[in-house]
Amino acid sequence: MRLTVIGCGYVGLVTGACLAAAGHEVYCTDIDEKRIEQLKAGKVPIYEEHLDKVLKHAVAEKKISYTADAGEAIRVGEVIFICVGTPPKDTGEADLSAIDHVARQIAQEARTPKLVVEKSTVPALTGVQLQKALAAYSQRGSVKFEVASNPEFLREGTAVEDFFHPDRIVVGVENEKSAEVMRQIYAPILERKFHCPVHGGQCPSGTRGELLVTTINSAELIKHASNSFLALKISYANVISDLCERIGADVEEVTHAMGLDPRIGTQFLKAGLGFGGFCFPKDIQAFIHLASSVGVDFDMLKAAERVNKQRIDRFFEKIRKALWVIKGKKVAVLGLAFKANTDDIRFAPALDVIRRLLEEGAEVHASDPQAISRTKPLLPAVTYHEDPYAALKGADAALVCTEWKAFRNIDWSKAGQTMSRRLVIDGRNLYSPKKMHEWGFEYYSFGRL
Ligand code: UGA
Protein backbone atom coordinates (compact mmCIF):
# COMPACT_ATOMS: atom_id res chain seq x y z
CA MET A 1 0.00 0.00 0.00
CA ARG A 2 1.21 3.59 -0.57
CA LEU A 3 1.52 5.39 2.75
CA THR A 4 2.40 8.99 3.56
CA VAL A 5 4.00 9.96 6.84
CA ILE A 6 3.81 13.63 7.78
CA GLY A 7 6.32 14.56 10.48
CA CYS A 8 9.76 12.94 10.61
CA GLY A 9 10.28 13.07 14.37
CA TYR A 10 10.81 9.94 16.39
CA VAL A 11 7.27 8.58 15.97
CA GLY A 12 7.10 9.39 12.25
CA LEU A 13 10.48 7.89 11.44
CA VAL A 14 9.91 4.70 13.40
CA THR A 15 6.42 4.33 11.89
CA GLY A 16 7.65 5.04 8.35
CA ALA A 17 10.71 2.81 8.61
CA CYS A 18 8.87 -0.16 10.13
CA LEU A 19 5.90 0.03 7.73
CA ALA A 20 8.40 0.18 4.83
CA ALA A 21 10.12 -2.91 6.27
CA ALA A 22 6.69 -4.54 6.29
CA GLY A 23 6.54 -4.07 2.51
CA HIS A 24 4.59 -0.83 2.08
CA GLU A 25 5.73 2.10 -0.07
CA VAL A 26 6.32 4.97 2.34
CA TYR A 27 6.62 8.67 1.50
CA CYS A 28 7.91 10.81 4.35
CA THR A 29 7.65 14.56 4.53
CA ASP A 30 8.46 17.21 7.12
CA ILE A 31 8.17 20.99 7.35
CA ASP A 32 11.87 21.03 8.37
CA GLU A 33 13.72 20.96 5.03
CA LYS A 34 17.08 20.48 6.75
CA ARG A 35 15.80 17.29 8.34
CA ILE A 36 14.66 15.99 4.96
CA GLU A 37 18.09 16.78 3.44
CA GLN A 38 19.76 14.92 6.33
CA LEU A 39 17.52 11.90 5.77
CA LYS A 40 18.17 11.94 2.03
CA ALA A 41 21.90 11.93 2.82
CA GLY A 42 21.34 8.77 4.91
CA LYS A 43 21.71 10.49 8.30
CA VAL A 44 19.23 9.61 11.02
CA PRO A 45 18.56 12.77 13.05
CA ILE A 46 17.73 10.94 16.31
CA TYR A 47 19.33 8.12 18.25
CA GLU A 48 16.99 5.16 18.36
CA GLU A 49 18.35 1.63 18.43
CA HIS A 50 17.97 -0.29 15.12
CA LEU A 51 16.31 2.66 13.34
CA ASP A 52 19.35 3.38 11.16
CA LYS A 53 19.45 -0.26 9.98
CA VAL A 54 15.74 -0.37 9.17
CA LEU A 55 15.87 2.94 7.29
CA LYS A 56 18.97 1.94 5.34
CA HIS A 57 17.38 -1.33 4.32
CA ALA A 58 14.14 0.41 3.30
CA VAL A 59 16.04 2.95 1.19
CA ALA A 60 18.04 0.18 -0.51
CA GLU A 61 14.79 -1.69 -1.27
CA LYS A 62 13.28 1.58 -2.57
CA LYS A 63 10.45 1.27 -0.06
CA ILE A 64 10.94 4.67 1.58
CA SER A 65 11.57 8.14 0.19
CA TYR A 66 11.74 11.64 1.64
CA THR A 67 10.45 14.90 0.27
CA ALA A 68 10.08 18.44 1.60
CA ASP A 69 7.15 18.88 -0.78
CA ALA A 70 4.19 17.98 1.42
CA GLY A 71 1.77 18.30 -1.51
CA GLU A 72 3.61 15.63 -3.48
CA ALA A 73 3.71 13.28 -0.47
CA ILE A 74 0.01 13.84 0.24
CA ARG A 75 -1.08 13.21 -3.35
CA VAL A 76 0.79 9.94 -3.67
CA GLY A 77 -0.32 8.19 -0.45
CA GLU A 78 -3.58 6.29 -0.09
CA VAL A 79 -3.33 6.52 3.69
CA ILE A 80 -1.79 9.50 5.48
CA PHE A 81 -0.26 9.13 8.94
CA ILE A 82 -0.11 12.39 10.89
CA CYS A 83 2.95 12.18 13.13
CA VAL A 84 3.50 15.82 14.09
CA GLY A 85 4.21 17.15 17.57
CA THR A 86 1.49 18.05 20.07
CA PRO A 87 3.49 19.95 22.71
CA PRO A 88 1.92 21.29 25.90
CA LYS A 89 0.69 24.90 26.11
CA ASP A 90 1.36 26.85 29.32
CA THR A 91 -2.03 25.68 30.56
CA GLY A 92 -1.08 22.00 30.09
CA GLU A 93 -3.57 21.65 27.24
CA ALA A 94 -2.16 19.96 24.10
CA ASP A 95 -1.22 22.41 21.34
CA LEU A 96 -2.91 21.01 18.24
CA SER A 97 -1.84 23.76 15.83
CA ALA A 98 0.47 21.42 13.90
CA ILE A 99 -2.42 18.96 13.41
CA ASP A 100 -4.62 21.81 12.17
CA HIS A 101 -1.88 22.95 9.76
CA VAL A 102 -1.47 19.44 8.38
CA ALA A 103 -5.26 19.05 8.02
CA ARG A 104 -5.30 22.18 5.87
CA GLN A 105 -2.41 20.87 3.73
CA ILE A 106 -4.09 17.50 3.23
CA ALA A 107 -7.46 19.06 2.37
CA GLN A 108 -5.91 21.42 -0.14
CA GLU A 109 -3.43 19.05 -1.79
CA ALA A 110 -5.39 15.79 -2.00
CA ARG A 111 -6.92 14.88 -5.36
CA THR A 112 -8.17 11.40 -4.43
CA PRO A 113 -9.91 9.97 -1.31
CA LYS A 114 -7.64 9.51 1.70
CA LEU A 115 -7.75 7.74 5.00
CA VAL A 116 -6.18 10.24 7.42
CA VAL A 117 -4.72 8.55 10.50
CA GLU A 118 -3.88 10.35 13.74
CA LYS A 119 -0.67 8.81 15.04
CA SER A 120 0.34 11.84 17.09
CA THR A 121 -0.82 11.70 20.70
CA VAL A 122 -3.98 13.78 20.85
CA PRO A 123 -6.75 14.29 23.39
CA ALA A 124 -10.06 12.54 22.88
CA LEU A 125 -12.41 14.33 20.48
CA THR A 126 -9.56 15.48 18.21
CA GLY A 127 -10.79 13.06 15.52
CA VAL A 128 -14.11 14.87 15.41
CA GLN A 129 -12.32 18.21 14.97
CA LEU A 130 -9.98 16.73 12.35
CA GLN A 131 -12.89 15.45 10.29
CA LYS A 132 -14.54 18.89 10.47
CA ALA A 133 -11.28 20.66 9.57
CA LEU A 134 -10.67 18.42 6.53
CA ALA A 135 -14.16 19.18 5.25
CA ALA A 136 -13.86 22.90 5.97
CA TYR A 137 -10.44 23.35 4.35
CA SER A 138 -11.22 21.26 1.29
CA GLN A 139 -11.81 23.40 -1.78
CA ARG A 140 -12.89 20.38 -3.77
CA GLY A 141 -15.89 19.01 -1.97
CA SER A 142 -15.58 15.96 -4.18
CA VAL A 143 -12.52 14.55 -2.34
CA LYS A 144 -13.63 12.28 0.47
CA PHE A 145 -11.67 11.96 3.71
CA GLU A 146 -12.06 9.28 6.34
CA VAL A 147 -10.38 9.70 9.71
CA ALA A 148 -8.86 7.04 11.96
CA SER A 149 -6.93 7.05 15.20
CA ASN A 150 -3.97 4.71 15.58
CA PRO A 151 -2.13 5.65 18.79
CA GLU A 152 1.42 4.50 19.24
CA PHE A 153 2.68 2.65 22.29
CA LEU A 154 6.37 2.92 21.44
CA ARG A 155 8.93 3.41 24.17
CA GLU A 156 11.91 5.51 23.21
CA GLY A 157 14.99 3.31 23.09
CA THR A 158 13.02 0.18 22.16
CA ALA A 159 10.63 1.78 19.67
CA VAL A 160 11.63 -0.38 16.70
CA GLU A 161 11.24 -3.57 18.71
CA ASP A 162 7.90 -2.32 20.08
CA PHE A 163 6.64 -1.56 16.57
CA PHE A 164 7.53 -4.99 15.23
CA HIS A 165 6.39 -6.86 18.32
CA PRO A 166 3.40 -4.95 19.67
CA ASP A 167 1.25 -6.04 22.62
CA ARG A 168 -1.68 -4.47 20.86
CA ILE A 169 -2.44 -2.32 17.84
CA VAL A 170 -5.38 -0.02 18.43
CA VAL A 171 -7.30 1.37 15.47
CA GLY A 172 -10.19 3.70 16.05
CA VAL A 173 -12.33 3.99 12.93
CA GLU A 174 -15.59 5.37 11.63
CA ASN A 175 -16.52 2.36 9.50
CA GLU A 176 -15.59 -1.19 8.51
CA LYS A 177 -13.90 -0.05 5.29
CA SER A 178 -11.30 1.95 7.24
CA ALA A 179 -10.86 -0.95 9.68
CA GLU A 180 -10.06 -3.25 6.76
CA VAL A 181 -7.47 -0.81 5.38
CA MET A 182 -5.77 -0.63 8.78
CA ARG A 183 -5.84 -4.45 9.06
CA GLN A 184 -4.08 -4.69 5.68
CA ILE A 185 -1.44 -2.18 6.74
CA TYR A 186 -0.61 -4.11 9.90
CA ALA A 187 -1.08 -7.64 8.53
CA PRO A 188 2.65 -8.12 7.72
CA ILE A 189 3.56 -7.03 11.26
CA LEU A 190 1.02 -9.32 12.94
CA GLU A 191 1.91 -12.21 10.62
CA ARG A 192 5.63 -11.44 11.10
CA LYS A 193 6.23 -11.12 7.36
CA PHE A 194 9.17 -8.72 7.56
CA HIS A 195 12.86 -8.89 8.21
CA CYS A 196 13.27 -8.22 11.91
CA PRO A 197 16.44 -6.22 12.56
CA VAL A 198 16.11 -6.75 16.29
CA HIS A 199 16.21 -10.54 16.33
CA GLY A 200 17.85 -11.15 12.94
CA GLY A 201 14.96 -13.28 11.67
CA GLN A 202 14.77 -15.31 14.90
CA CYS A 203 11.92 -13.54 16.64
CA PRO A 204 10.88 -15.20 19.87
CA SER A 205 7.71 -17.22 19.47
CA GLY A 206 5.13 -16.41 22.08
CA THR A 207 1.99 -14.39 22.02
CA ARG A 208 1.51 -12.07 19.12
CA GLY A 209 -0.09 -8.68 19.35
CA GLU A 210 -3.76 -8.21 18.81
CA LEU A 211 -5.37 -5.63 16.54
CA LEU A 212 -8.26 -4.00 18.34
CA VAL A 213 -10.86 -2.08 16.40
CA THR A 214 -12.58 0.64 18.42
CA THR A 215 -14.32 3.95 17.92
CA ILE A 216 -12.07 6.96 17.33
CA ASN A 217 -12.94 8.48 20.73
CA SER A 218 -12.03 5.24 22.51
CA ALA A 219 -8.72 4.92 20.64
CA GLU A 220 -7.74 8.47 21.59
CA LEU A 221 -8.71 7.81 25.19
CA ILE A 222 -6.80 4.49 25.31
CA LYS A 223 -3.53 6.30 24.62
CA HIS A 224 -3.88 8.94 27.33
CA ALA A 225 -5.43 6.48 29.78
CA SER A 226 -2.49 4.07 29.31
CA ASN A 227 0.29 6.64 29.69
CA SER A 228 -1.39 8.31 32.65
CA PHE A 229 -1.89 4.96 34.38
CA LEU A 230 1.81 4.13 33.99
CA ALA A 231 2.77 7.56 35.34
CA LEU A 232 0.39 6.98 38.25
CA LYS A 233 2.08 3.65 38.96
CA ILE A 234 5.53 5.29 39.07
CA SER A 235 4.34 8.02 41.44
CA TYR A 236 2.70 5.38 43.64
CA ALA A 237 6.03 3.53 43.87
CA ASN A 238 7.75 6.80 44.72
CA VAL A 239 5.40 7.52 47.61
CA ILE A 240 5.91 3.94 48.86
CA SER A 241 9.64 4.66 48.65
CA ASP A 242 9.26 7.75 50.86
CA LEU A 243 7.26 5.66 53.33
CA CYS A 244 9.99 3.00 53.31
CA GLU A 245 12.57 5.62 54.24
CA ARG A 246 10.50 6.82 57.20
CA ILE A 247 9.56 3.36 58.42
CA GLY A 248 12.82 1.54 57.72
CA ALA A 249 11.68 -0.79 54.94
CA ASP A 250 13.13 -1.52 51.50
CA VAL A 251 11.14 -0.29 48.50
CA GLU A 252 12.59 -2.93 46.18
CA GLU A 253 11.42 -5.71 48.48
CA VAL A 254 8.00 -4.12 48.75
CA THR A 255 7.44 -3.37 45.04
CA HIS A 256 8.85 -6.72 43.95
CA ALA A 257 6.42 -8.59 46.17
CA MET A 258 3.55 -6.32 45.12
CA GLY A 259 4.36 -6.85 41.45
CA LEU A 260 4.25 -10.64 41.68
CA ASP A 261 0.49 -10.26 41.95
CA PRO A 262 -0.41 -10.41 38.23
CA ARG A 263 -3.16 -7.87 38.84
CA ILE A 264 -0.42 -5.36 39.74
CA GLY A 265 2.58 -6.49 37.63
CA THR A 266 6.26 -5.80 38.29
CA GLN A 267 6.87 -3.09 35.69
CA PHE A 268 6.84 0.67 36.26
CA LEU A 269 7.26 0.35 39.99
CA LYS A 270 10.85 1.60 40.08
CA ALA A 271 11.29 4.38 42.58
CA GLY A 272 13.75 7.19 42.10
CA LEU A 273 13.94 10.57 40.41
CA GLY A 274 10.58 10.07 38.73
CA PHE A 275 9.36 10.18 35.17
CA GLY A 276 10.49 12.57 32.46
CA GLY A 277 10.50 12.59 28.66
CA PHE A 278 8.14 14.10 26.17
CA CYS A 279 5.27 11.70 26.84
CA PHE A 280 4.29 11.18 30.47
CA PRO A 281 4.68 14.76 31.78
CA LYS A 282 2.75 16.29 28.88
CA ASP A 283 0.21 13.50 28.48
CA ILE A 284 -0.76 13.51 32.13
CA GLN A 285 -1.31 17.29 31.90
CA ALA A 286 -3.31 17.01 28.70
CA PHE A 287 -5.44 14.26 30.23
CA ILE A 288 -6.14 16.32 33.36
CA HIS A 289 -7.10 19.19 31.07
CA LEU A 290 -9.37 17.04 28.91
CA ALA A 291 -11.11 15.58 31.98
CA SER A 292 -11.77 18.99 33.50
CA SER A 293 -13.00 20.37 30.15
CA VAL A 294 -15.78 17.78 30.20
CA GLY A 295 -16.51 18.25 33.90
CA VAL A 296 -14.71 15.16 35.24
CA ASP A 297 -12.50 15.59 38.28
CA PHE A 298 -9.23 13.66 37.86
CA ASP A 299 -7.53 14.73 41.10
CA MET A 300 -5.71 11.40 41.25
CA LEU A 301 -3.61 12.44 38.25
CA LYS A 302 -2.91 15.86 39.73
CA ALA A 303 -1.50 14.08 42.79
CA ALA A 304 0.68 11.84 40.60
CA GLU A 305 2.03 14.88 38.82
CA ARG A 306 2.72 16.67 42.11
CA VAL A 307 4.54 13.63 43.53
CA ASN A 308 6.69 13.50 40.40
CA LYS A 309 7.64 17.18 40.61
CA GLN A 310 8.65 16.69 44.25
CA ARG A 311 11.16 13.96 43.35
CA ILE A 312 13.79 16.57 42.54
CA ASP A 313 13.21 18.20 45.97
CA ARG A 314 13.60 14.81 47.61
CA PHE A 315 16.85 14.26 45.69
CA PHE A 316 18.14 17.64 46.81
CA GLU A 317 17.29 16.89 50.44
CA LYS A 318 19.60 13.88 50.11
CA ILE A 319 22.31 15.91 48.36
CA ARG A 320 22.18 18.67 50.94
CA LYS A 321 22.19 16.25 53.85
CA ALA A 322 25.27 14.49 52.47
CA LEU A 323 27.22 17.42 51.05
CA TRP A 324 26.04 20.08 53.53
CA VAL A 325 27.18 23.09 51.46
CA ILE A 326 26.71 22.76 47.70
CA LYS A 327 28.45 26.00 46.71
CA GLY A 328 31.97 25.41 45.40
CA LYS A 329 31.63 21.60 45.34
CA LYS A 330 32.67 19.61 42.31
CA VAL A 331 29.73 17.38 41.43
CA ALA A 332 29.71 14.60 38.82
CA VAL A 333 26.31 14.05 37.21
CA LEU A 334 25.96 10.64 35.58
CA GLY A 335 23.18 10.77 32.99
CA LEU A 336 21.47 13.56 31.08
CA ALA A 337 18.87 11.71 28.97
CA PHE A 338 15.43 11.24 30.56
CA LYS A 339 16.03 7.50 30.53
CA ALA A 340 18.61 5.03 29.20
CA ASN A 341 19.08 4.18 25.51
CA THR A 342 17.96 7.52 24.13
CA ASP A 343 19.51 10.93 23.48
CA ASP A 344 16.23 12.63 24.41
CA ILE A 345 16.61 15.25 27.15
CA ARG A 346 13.11 16.72 27.02
CA PHE A 347 11.73 17.05 30.57
CA ALA A 348 14.75 15.04 31.76
CA PRO A 349 15.04 15.14 35.58
CA ALA A 350 18.84 15.37 35.20
CA LEU A 351 18.54 18.80 33.60
CA ASP A 352 16.48 20.14 36.51
CA VAL A 353 19.04 18.69 38.91
CA ILE A 354 21.90 20.39 37.05
CA ARG A 355 20.10 23.76 36.86
CA ARG A 356 19.63 23.72 40.63
CA LEU A 357 23.24 22.67 41.26
CA LEU A 358 24.47 25.54 39.08
CA GLU A 359 22.13 28.00 40.80
CA GLU A 360 23.63 26.95 44.12
CA GLY A 361 27.18 27.46 42.84
CA ALA A 362 28.38 23.89 42.26
CA GLU A 363 30.94 23.01 39.59
CA VAL A 364 29.15 20.43 37.44
CA HIS A 365 30.87 17.71 35.40
CA ALA A 366 28.44 15.56 33.43
CA SER A 367 28.61 12.39 31.40
CA ASP A 368 26.10 10.59 29.18
CA PRO A 369 26.61 8.01 26.42
CA GLN A 370 24.31 9.79 23.91
CA ALA A 371 22.87 13.06 25.15
CA ILE A 372 25.89 15.36 25.55
CA SER A 373 25.59 17.14 22.21
CA ARG A 374 21.90 17.89 22.77
CA THR A 375 22.53 19.22 26.30
CA LYS A 376 25.59 21.39 25.63
CA PRO A 377 23.77 24.32 24.00
CA LEU A 378 21.19 24.38 26.84
CA LEU A 379 23.67 24.14 29.70
CA PRO A 380 26.99 25.63 28.53
CA ALA A 381 28.25 26.13 32.10
CA VAL A 382 28.69 22.38 32.56
CA THR A 383 31.91 20.50 31.72
CA TYR A 384 31.08 17.42 29.67
CA HIS A 385 32.96 14.12 29.56
CA GLU A 386 32.31 11.17 27.25
CA ASP A 387 34.05 8.98 29.81
CA PRO A 388 32.19 8.76 33.16
CA TYR A 389 35.47 8.08 34.98
CA ALA A 390 36.76 11.46 33.76
CA ALA A 391 33.63 13.15 35.15
CA LEU A 392 34.18 11.41 38.50
CA LYS A 393 37.83 12.43 38.83
CA GLY A 394 38.24 14.82 41.75
CA ALA A 395 34.47 14.94 42.42
CA ASP A 396 33.09 15.63 45.90
CA ALA A 397 29.95 13.67 44.97
CA ALA A 398 28.52 11.58 42.16
CA LEU A 399 24.81 11.92 41.33
CA VAL A 400 23.21 9.19 39.24
CA CYS A 401 20.35 10.53 37.14
CA THR A 402 19.91 8.02 34.29
CA GLU A 403 19.96 4.23 34.41
CA TRP A 404 22.44 3.63 31.54
CA LYS A 405 24.12 0.21 31.51
CA ALA A 406 27.51 1.93 31.30
CA PHE A 407 26.80 3.55 34.68
CA ARG A 408 25.43 0.34 36.16
CA ASN A 409 28.76 -1.28 35.28
CA ILE A 410 31.01 1.40 36.76
CA ASP A 411 33.88 -0.05 38.77
CA TRP A 412 33.38 2.03 41.91
CA SER A 413 36.45 0.67 43.64
CA LYS A 414 38.48 2.13 40.76
CA ALA A 415 36.46 5.37 40.48
CA GLY A 416 36.61 5.88 44.26
CA GLN A 417 40.40 6.15 44.12
CA THR A 418 40.18 9.24 41.91
CA MET A 419 37.22 10.95 43.60
CA SER A 420 37.86 13.64 46.13
CA ARG A 421 35.20 12.12 48.40
CA ARG A 422 33.58 8.70 48.15
CA LEU A 423 29.98 9.88 48.01
CA VAL A 424 27.29 8.58 45.63
CA ILE A 425 23.68 9.78 45.61
CA ASP A 426 21.81 7.45 43.33
CA GLY A 427 18.57 8.71 41.78
CA ARG A 428 17.93 5.41 40.00
CA ASN A 429 18.72 2.78 42.65
CA LEU A 430 21.39 1.18 40.43
CA TYR A 431 23.78 -0.24 42.99
CA SER A 432 23.77 -2.54 45.97
CA PRO A 433 23.99 -0.42 49.14
CA LYS A 434 25.95 -3.25 50.80
CA LYS A 435 28.61 -3.34 48.05
CA MET A 436 28.94 0.43 47.95
CA HIS A 437 29.48 0.51 51.71
CA GLU A 438 32.07 -2.28 51.41
CA TRP A 439 33.96 -0.13 48.89
CA GLY A 440 34.02 2.66 51.43
CA PHE A 441 31.32 4.84 49.92
CA GLU A 442 28.70 6.94 51.61
CA TYR A 443 25.81 5.81 49.47
CA TYR A 444 22.25 7.18 49.34
CA SER A 445 19.45 5.99 47.11
CA PHE A 446 15.63 6.03 47.20
CA GLY A 447 13.66 4.00 49.73
CA ARG A 448 16.34 1.43 50.52
CA LEU A 449 17.96 0.34 53.75
C1 UGA B 1 6.12 6.12 27.24
C2 UGA B 1 5.27 4.84 27.28
O1 UGA B 1 5.93 3.85 28.05
C3 UGA B 1 5.01 4.29 25.87
O2 UGA B 1 4.16 3.18 25.93
C4 UGA B 1 4.36 5.41 25.03
O3 UGA B 1 4.14 5.00 23.70
C5 UGA B 1 5.29 6.62 25.02
O4 UGA B 1 5.49 7.07 26.37
C6 UGA B 1 4.64 7.70 24.19
O5 UGA B 1 3.58 8.18 24.57
O6 UGA B 1 5.12 7.99 23.09
P1 UGA B 1 8.72 6.66 27.00
O7 UGA B 1 8.34 8.08 27.29
O8 UGA B 1 9.63 6.36 25.89
O9 UGA B 1 7.41 5.78 26.74
O10 UGA B 1 9.44 6.15 28.33
P2 UGA B 1 9.15 5.10 29.49
O11 UGA B 1 10.01 3.93 29.31
O12 UGA B 1 7.71 4.85 29.63
O13 UGA B 1 9.67 5.93 30.74
C7 UGA B 1 9.11 7.20 31.10
C8 UGA B 1 9.78 7.76 32.30
O14 UGA B 1 9.42 7.05 33.47
C9 UGA B 1 11.30 7.74 32.27
O15 UGA B 1 11.78 8.98 32.75
C10 UGA B 1 11.68 6.61 33.20
O16 UGA B 1 12.95 6.78 33.78
C11 UGA B 1 10.57 6.71 34.23
N1 UGA B 1 10.30 5.46 34.95
C12 UGA B 1 9.87 4.36 34.26
C13 UGA B 1 10.43 5.41 36.33
O17 UGA B 1 10.80 6.41 36.99
N2 UGA B 1 10.12 4.24 36.98
C14 UGA B 1 9.69 3.15 36.32
O18 UGA B 1 9.42 2.12 36.98
C15 UGA B 1 9.58 3.20 34.92
Side-chain angles (χ1 to χ4, degrees):
M1 206 172 285
R2 289 191 313 278
L3 311 177
T4 299
V5 170
I6 304 185
C8 293
Y10 132 85
V11 172
L13 282 178
V14 173
T15 302
C18 295
L19 289 176
H24 300 292
E25 266 174 55
V26 179
Y27 301 84
C28 296
T29 186
D30 197 290
I31 200 166
D32 181 348
E33 290 184 21
K34 250 176 62 207
R35 182 160 277 228
I36 293 294
E37 286 314 311
Q38 256 183 315
L39 286 162
K40 281 184 178 168
K43 289 189 197 120
V44 185
I46 49 163
Y47 173 74
E48 182 61 48
E49 210 180 354
H50 304 297
L51 182 60
D52 50 349
K53 272 185 282 176
V54 188
L55 280 173
K56 214 167 156 187
H57 191 255
V59 169
E61 297 282 308
K62 296 199 166 36
K63 289 288 185 195
I64 200 162
S65 58
Y66 312 103
T67 174
D69 182 345
E72 182 194 327
I74 287 164
R75 281 188 292 280
V76 78
E78 299 158 79
V79 179
I80 299 176
F81 285 87
I82 302 182
C83 302
V84 295
T86 52
K89 294 186 193 171
D90 289 343
T91 54
E93 190 186 356
D95 179 352
L96 301 175
S97 53
I99 304 258
D100 178 57
H101 173 75
V102 167
R104 187 186 290 272
Q105 279 184 320
I106 296 172
Q108 293 179 348
E109 299 290 350
R111 303 285 179 270
T112 51
K114 309 283 176 196
L115 175 60
V116 180
V117 183
E118 304 166 347
K119 193 86 187 158
S120 307
T121 298
V122 291
L125 302 173
T126 301
V128 179
Q129 293 299 338
L130 180 61
Q131 183 62 273
K132 273 194 201 159
L134 287 165
Y137 297 143
S138 174
Q139 289 147 357
R140 306 170 180 73
S142 55
V143 177
K144 193 161 167 32
F145 298 104
E146 306 276 359
V147 168
S149 164
N150 175 216
E152 52 88 12
F153 303 105
L154 311 172
R155 292 162 301 172
E156 287 189 33
T158 53
V160 171
E161 183 169 356
D162 292 346
F163 201 102
F164 284 134
H165 300 289
D167 307 315
R168 79 285 206 204
I169 294 170
V170 173
V171 294
V173 288
E174 294 171 292
N175 53 44
E176 178 49 31
K177 193 172 133 232
S178 301
E180 192 44 39
V181 173
M182 296 304 288
R183 277 191 207 102
Q184 278 176 34
I185 291 173
Y186 283 105
I189 304 278
L190 293 173
E191 291 162 16
R192 300 220 174 139
K193 288 188 183 146
F194 57 88
H195 171 77
C196 176
V198 184
H199 306 104
Q202 310 245 292
C203 299
S205 50
T207 47
R208 297 186 181 198
E210 208 181 313
L211 188 141
L212 305 168
V213 178
T214 68
T215 63
I216 296 179
N217 285 351
S218 295
E220 291 168 337
L221 212 59
I222 288 166
K223 169 69 189 188
H224 268 152
S226 303
N227 273 9
S228 296
F229 187 77
L230 291 172
L232 206 62
K233 223 177 153 186
I234 296 169
S235 282
Y236 189 87
N238 278 326
V239 177
I240 298 290
S241 148
D242 290 349
L243 263 175
C244 284
E245 286 181 13
R246 299 284 164 89
I247 285 167
D250 186 304
V251 72
E252 312 247 293
E253 289 175 356
V254 176
T255 53
H256 175 68
M258 279 169 62
L260 291 180
D261 180 336
R263 291 170 302 175
I264 297 175
T266 50
Q267 295 189 48
F268 281 70
L269 286 176
K270 269 209 119 347
L273 261 178
F275 56 80
F278 205 56
C279 301
F280 287 177
K282 85 171 165 71
D283 289 355
I284 204 170
Q285 277 188 18
F287 208 33
I288 291 169
H289 202 278
L290 171 89
S292 97
S293 74
V294 292
V296 173
D297 189 0
F298 220 151
D299 265 357
M300 205 189 288
L301 287 186
K302 290 183 197 158
E305 199 191 16
R306 194 177 60 243
V307 166
N308 196 54
K309 284 193 176 138
Q310 287 166 349
R311 297 323 285 164
I312 310 280
D313 299 333
R314 298 283 297 107
F315 198 47
F316 264 80
E317 281 164 24
K318 291 173 195 291
I319 298 170
R320 219 179 296 282
K321 203 165 158 195
L323 260 184
W324 183 38
V325 173
I326 293 176
K327 190 171 177 185
K329 298 282 162 65
K330 183 171 173 183
V331 179
V333 173
L334 300 182
L336 299 166
F338 82 95
K339 66 172 191 177
N341 304 321
T342 175
D343 61 352
D344 197 342
I345 53 166
R346 291 174 296 177
F347 297 97
L351 269 58
D352 283 340
V353 168
I354 293 176
R355 281 191 192 102
R356 280 210 206 176
L357 288 170
L358 292 172
E359 267 167 34
E360 299 211 19
E363 177 188 333
V364 180
H365 290 252
S367 182
D368 190 284
Q370 293 294 340
I372 291 178
S373 60
R374 282 190 192 271
T375 314
K376 252 186 194 168
L378 294 181
L379 294 169
V382 172
T383 308
Y384 295 92
H385 306 266
E386 297 287 338
D387 177 8
Y389 291 95
L392 290 166
K393 203 169 163 197
D396 294 300
L399 311 184
V400 182
C401 292
T402 315
E403 67 283 17
W404 284 98
K405 198 168 163 209
F407 300 153
R408 212 179 276 279
N409 293 337
I410 280 179
D411 178 347
W412 284 103
S413 65
K414 178 179 144 193
Q417 286 163 14
T418 70
M419 288 176 73
S420 167
R421 177 174 168 189
R422 291 184 182 225
L423 169 63
V424 175
I425 304 158
D426 181 357
R428 296 293 175 189
N429 287 2
L430 292 193
Y431 313 111
S432 142
K434 189 167 164 270
K435 283 242 172 69
M436 293 303 280
H437 294 146
E438 276 169 15
W439 284 323
F441 277 87
E442 286 169 76
Y443 176 70
Y444 305 97
S445 54
F446 277 97
R448 298 193 300 172
L449 296 172

